[in-house]
Amino acid sequence: MASEELARKLQSRLAATQETEPRPEPEQSPVRPKPQESEAACGDSSSELSAKLTRRLDINEGNAAPRATRVFNPYTEFKEFSRKQIKDMEAMFKRYDTGKDGFIDLMELKLMMEKLGAPQTHLGLKNMIKEVDEDFDGKLSFREFLLIFRRAAAGELQEESGLMALARLSEINVSSEGVMGAKDFFEAKVQALSVGSKFEAEIREEKEERKRQEVEKKQRQAAFKQLQSTFCS
Ligand SMILES: [Ca+2]
């Protein structure tokens, strides 16, 4: 309530200051936009500004959370993986992020691949990073690291590629049957979905059948009553 009032006041003050500001003379220059246009633009920016002010007010009063620098949530963004899978991936990421800076750089990736038993050439390592390096900073963020497993699970990685070796040797079960069975896993998922919708359809059908029976029963009863009344009268 109080914040709304304050916001209204701010808005009216904003409008007032804009009223008192000297208006550009439209006749002075032929290239100047038409008065209506400049007014519209002015209105837009003022409402934008007041929206910002209102929001700032809400944040100050605890009615709104400050716009966090969009936090990456692996659980919502990588819905194809279970919490356990993501936790395993996080543990692995942290294990090989020896510099503890939240990134796996080229040297760390080199060591990782050596530890996993699939050492890569310098160029091979560079290519591995390049394949998932969405922000082009030459190192792997945790999100980019998860992309490796996403692509592995989706069957998008070359069988002989470094990334595929990483995913397979990580011993993280991307699917119930490991990375190799990822395709089956997704097919099973699709089947499970269609089974689910089939189940729903069956329930719907049963309900409709019950309704039909009910209607028929009522019709029979009505017919019987009518018959009865014809006989009795
Ligand atoms: Ca990166």
Side-chain angles (χ1 to χ4, degrees), residues 23-34:
R23 293 266 171 137
E25 286 300 326
E27 274 76 27
Q28 273 176 358
S29 160
V31 288
R32 200 180 287 279
K34 289 194 178 81

Side-chain angles (χ1 to χ4, degrees), residues 22-80:
R23 293 266 171 137
E25 286 300 326
E27 274 76 27
Q28 273 176 358
S29 160
V31 288
R32 200 180 287 279
K34 289 194 178 81
Q36 296 103 302
E37 277 171 10
S38 74
E39 213 150 70
C42 185
D44 274 351
S45 67
S46 94
S47 67
E48 198 182 315
L49 192 57
S50 70
K52 276 185 188 161
L53 281 168
T54 311
R55 191 175 150 69
R56 172 54 50 192
L57 225 75
D58 277 346
I59 291 169
N60 289 349
E61 299 201 344
N63 295 329
R67 197 171 320 218
T69 43
R70 216 173 76 78
V71 184
F72 163 56
N73 184 340
Y75 301 105
T76 53
E77 203 171 319
F78 289 80
K79 286 203 172 82
E80 70 264 52

Side-chain angles (χ1 to χ4, degrees), residues 133 135 137 139 144:
D133 189 13
D135 57 3
D137 62 356
K139 50 191 182 179
E144 289 163 345

Side-chain angles (χ1 to χ4, degrees), residues 151-184:
R151 297 191 55 194
E156 288 173 5
L157 294 178
Q158 295 280 326
E159 201 54 38
E160 301 303 317
S161 68
L163 290 186
M164 191 63 182
L166 189 159
R168 195 182 297 138
L169 294 167
S170 69
E171 291 183 344
I172 293 168
N173 260 355
V174 174
S175 69
S176 45
E177 299 148 62
V179 174
M180 294 305 290
K183 211 173 160 211
D184 299 331

Side-chain angles (χ1 to χ4, degrees), residues 103 129 132-141 144:
F103 297 96
I129 292 177
V132 286
D133 189 13
E134 291 198 322
D135 57 3
F136 307 109
D137 62 356
K139 50 191 182 179
L140 300 178
S141 64
E144 289 163 345

